[in-house]
């Protein structure tokens, strides 16, 4: 008799688990899959800062960088003057002096990154019209990455990079 009652208890446990599993499967397909088909649209609008929020800093003037060689006899060089517009204050750095001090602290790494960037370009690359704007955008991102690499909650410091002088040969 004891064998039949334990058999009945096991049968009830298996039935309860099966029903629970069925409800979980139904809930998963109706509720979880329904939310994945609806996509959230997040609109990010870039707010253009005013003149009172930005400061201008000259990175370097008439500095020469070697370009990548395309043949063994050709030496290619680009001469640049660059300046950057950066925010006077950000969430982490409340004073303008702190922002300027941080940029000055990383100035050697910034100059090295700019030199490395142009060493990967050839004379034909820098002769294209689109290269100048692409370089400004790429270097802005690289410099922001350098300046915020040690911050837990990082806001970009550099708003834009401008090449005042761009001469290649």
């Amino acid at each position: 008799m004891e064998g039949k009652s334990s058999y009945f208890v096991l049968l009830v446990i298996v039935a309860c688990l099966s029903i629970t599993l069925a409800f979980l499967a139904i809930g998963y397909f109706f509720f979880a899959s329904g939310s994945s088909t609806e996509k959230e649209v997040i609109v990010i609008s870039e707010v253009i800062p005013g003149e009172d929020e930005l400061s201008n800093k000259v990175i370097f003037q008439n500095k020469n960088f070697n370009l990548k060689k395309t043949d063994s006899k050709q030496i290619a060089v680009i001469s640049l003057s660059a300046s950057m517009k950066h925010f006077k204050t950000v969430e982490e750095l409340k004073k303008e002096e702190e922002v300027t001090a941080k940029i000055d602290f990383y100035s050697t790494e910034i100059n090295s990154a700019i030199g490395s960037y142009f060493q990967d370009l050839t004379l034909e690359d820098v002769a294209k019209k689109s290269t100048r704007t692409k370089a400004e955008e790429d270097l802005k991102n690289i410099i922001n990455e350098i300046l915020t690499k040690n911050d837990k909650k990082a806001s970009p410091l550099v708003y834009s990079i401008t090449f005042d002088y761009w001469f290649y040969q």
Side-chain angles (χ1 to χ4, degrees):
M1 185 87 165
E2 198 171 307
K4 285 187 177 183
S5 65
S6 63
Y7 211 52
F8 180 71
V9 170
L10 286 174
L11 186 63
V12 169
I13 291 173
V14 169
C16 289
L17 289 175
S18 298
I19 292 170
T20 305
L21 185 62
F23 280 123
L24 286 174
I26 290 169
Y28 175 76
F29 286 117
F30 281 113
F31 298 113
S33 64
S35 64
S36 67
T37 58
E38 298 174 13
K39 297 191 182 214
E40 282 187 48
V41 177
I42 299 173
V43 178
I44 299 174
S45 61
E46 182 178 341
V47 178
I48 299 173
E51 290 180 17
D52 58 332
E53 298 176 59
L54 294 175
S55 183
N56 196 29
K57 178 168 178 59
V58 175
I59 303 173
F60 49 79
Q61 290 184 337
N62 295 336
K63 191 165 185 178
N64 296 328
F65 296 101
N66 291 332
L67 298 172
K68 184 193 273 186
K69 293 181 180 181
T70 53
D71 60 32
S72 61
K73 295 181 182 180
Q74 180 186 16
I75 296 175
V77 177
I78 187 165
S79 181
L80 302 170
S81 290
S83 61
M84 71 175 153
K85 287 186 179 164
H86 63 85
F87 293 99
K88 289 182 179 178
T89 59
V90 290
E91 193 172 315
E92 303 83 38
L93 305 171
K94 300 292 184 191
K95 296 180 183 174
E96 186 176 351
E97 295 83 24
E98 293 175 344
V99 174
T100 307
K102 186 169 189 172
I103 292 171
D104 290 341
F105 182 75
Y106 286 105
S107 65
T108 55
E109 289 181 47
I110 290 170
N111 286 333
S112 176
I114 293 170
S116 298
Y117 181 83
F118 283 104
Q119 284 178 343
D120 289 337
L121 297 177
T122 63
L123 186 61
E124 292 80 26
D125 292 336
V126 296
K128 296 177 188 172
K129 287 183 179 182
S130 61
T131 302
R132 186 173 182 159
T133 56
K134 183 180 181 317
E136 288 173 348
E137 187 64 29
D138 289 346
L139 288 171
K140 178 186 87 165
N141 294 335
I142 290 169
I143 292 170
N144 275 327
E145 187 177 308
I146 289 170
L147 293 172
T148 59
K149 67 182 172 186
N150 292 328
D151 296 342
K152 291 180 183 174
K153 185 179 176 187
S155 299
L157 293 174
V158 178
Y159 178 70
S160 67
I161 301 287
T162 306
F163 293 111
D164 306 321
Y165 178 72
W166 177 281
F167 180 74
Y168 53 89
Q169 63 179 11

